[in-house]
Amino acid sequence: MLDGVTLDQMRTFLAAADEGSFSAAGRRLGRAQSVVSQTLANLEGQIGVRLFDRAARLPVLTEAGRALLVEAREVAGRMDAFKARAASLAGGLEPEVSIVVDVLFPMVVLTHAIGDFQHHFPDTTLRIHVEALGAVLAPVLDGRCAFGVMGSLPDAPPELTRERLISLRMVQVAAAGHPLAALPGPLSPEDVAGHIQLVLTDRSKLTEGREFGVFSARTWRLADMGAKHAFLRAGLGWGGMPWDRVEDDIAAGDLVELKMRDAPAGGYIMPMYAAHRADTPPGPAGRWLIERLKDTAERCPAP
C-alpha cells in the first residue's frame, strides 16, 4: 500500500498542516474541502497512521503526524529539486526573466549583477520591479516574477524557498535640525512617540494591517525610498534607512544617526534573501542571476 502514496497526497498533507484547516488547504490548492479531506483519509488508510485528530472544530496534527511532517517536507523538497535540475538539463532558456527587488536592496550590488547578466544573456529580456514588504512576494506567489529579493518583510509563506544573499545594517536617522537630533541618546520609545516617523507603505494585501519597525504613534507613509530619503533630509520626520543609503549624509552632517535604547547590541541587521516558488523554480537564466547576486554581494557587500 505504501507504494501507492503519491506526491499529490504529500502536498495536500503539507498544505493542511501549514494552513491549520482542511478548508484553508483547499483554498490554497484550488480544491474543495471534501476533496482535501478524502485525499488525507486515503493517505492515512494507505500508511496505517492517523495524521490528524479531527475531534475538535479544526484538525490538529497527531504526534505521528508531526513526525511524518518533517519527512513529507523533505520528500516534496527533493521532488522540487529534481524538477529544477531536469528543467536545467533540458535547456529551455527563458526568453524573458521578471524579478521583483526590495527597495532596501543595495543598488551597487544589483547593478553589478545585472551588468554581468546582460553580458551573458544578451537575448534575454529582463524586467525588474522595485517594491517593499508584501508587494515583493505577491508577484512571485502569483507567478508574475521568477523570484523576488526580499528583506523588509521578515517572513515568507511556506510555498516559497529562500536563499540568503546579504545582510544590511539599518539605522534610524533624522535631519541635523530635527528636534530628536538634539536629544542625548539612547532614545526611549517615549522620546520618539510624539514625532512623525516616515514609514514605507505596502502596496499589496499580503501584509495589510501589519507593522514592521514602527515606534511612533504618528506616521507618514511613503511608497518610494527616494521620497523617504528626501523627506528625511528635509527634516519632515525621522525613520529607518539602510546604512549605505545615508552614510554620506551622516558624514556630511546633513543627517544624524539616532541611537535607540532598545536596539540590539550590534545594531539592527536585516538579512535579505532571494525567494522563489518551490514548485516553479527559476529557469537557467534566473538561476544564474541568483547565483551572481550572491557572488556580487560577497565582492561588494553593503556596509
Side-chain angles (χ1 to χ4, degrees):
M1 294 291 288
L2 291 179
D3 288 340
V5 174
T6 67
L7 184 61
D8 178 68
Q9 290 173 320
M10 290 286 188
R11 294 200 186 281
T12 304
F13 174 37
L14 291 173
D18 291 338
E19 299 295 336
S21 77
F22 294 169
S23 59
R27 288 192 295 272
R28 173 171 156 181
L29 298 171
R31 300 176 182 176
Q33 177 181 345
S34 58
V35 174
V36 171
S37 181
Q38 187 60 52
T39 299
L40 293 173
N42 292 341
L43 176 60
E44 290 173 325
Q46 286 176 268
I47 64 177
V49 172
R50 193 178 182 191
L51 300 173
F52 291 94
D53 183 348
R54 297 166 173 80
R57 185 175 68 88
L58 294 176
V60 178
L61 282 169
T62 63
E63 183 176 350
R66 288 192 297 272
L68 288 174
L69 183 64
V70 177
E71 303 295 335
R73 290 196 193 283
E74 186 175 349
V75 169
R78 286 178 178 174
M79 179 54 69
D80 290 333
F82 174 84
K83 292 193 294 184
R85 179 61 173 163
S88 296
L89 291 175
L93 184 65
E94 315 95 302
E96 178 179 302
V97 174
S98 293
I99 68 172
V100 55
V101 181
D102 195 296
V103 293
L104 300 180
F105 192 75
M107 286 297 107
V108 64
V109 176
L110 181 64
T111 54
H112 275 77
I114 296 303
D116 292 340
F117 180 91
Q118 184 182 48
H119 176 73
H120 282 78
F121 301 95
D123 297 324
T124 299
T125 300
L126 183 64
R127 297 187 185 276
I128 303 175
H129 308 268
V130 180
E131 296 287 355
L133 299 169
V136 174
L137 298 187
V140 179
L141 289 169
D142 65 22
R144 286 181 287 132
C145 288
F147 68 89
V149 176
M150 60 175 286
S152 54
L153 184 67
D155 50 20
E159 58 263 44
L160 294 183
T161 296
R162 299 192 306 176
E163 300 178 43
R164 184 74 166 259
L165 295 177
I166 196 172
S167 293
L168 299 184
R169 178 188 171 203
M170 300 294 295
V171 293
Q172 303 295 331
V173 296
H178 191 280
L180 289 178
L183 295 179
L187 303 178
S188 68
E190 293 75 19
D191 291 329
V192 302
H195 296 273
I196 293 172
Q197 183 179 359
L198 303 177
V199 180
L200 284 176
T201 190
D202 189 357
R203 289 185 277 211
S204 82
K205 300 253 181 218
L206 194 61
T207 49
E208 190 174 43
R210 297 174 63 185
E211 299 280 23
F212 304 97
V214 176
F215 303 94
S216 176
R218 302 177 63 197
T219 60
W220 283 4
R221 308 282 170 159
L222 301 94
D224 179 77
M225 179 62 76
K228 181 179 180 180
H229 189 194
F231 276 40
L232 287 167
R233 286 174 52 88
L236 299 177
W238 68 278
M241 290 286 285
W243 172 258
D244 66 294
R245 304 287 181 92
V246 295
E247 180 181 11
D248 291 341
D249 297 307
I250 292 174
D254 297 323
L255 291 177
V256 174
E257 181 179 355
L258 304 177
K259 301 296 185 181
M260 309 298 288
R261 189 179 68 187
D262 297 326
Y268 295 100
I269 303 299
M270 176 181 291
M272 305 203 78
Y273 303 87
H276 61 81
R277 289 188 63 99
D279 58 352
T280 52
R287 180 73 255 167
W288 186 96
L289 182 54
I290 291 177
E291 295 302 325
R292 186 48 53 103
L293 284 169
K294 293 179 184 178
D295 294 342
T296 308
E298 292 178 358
R299 294 200 309 268
C300 52

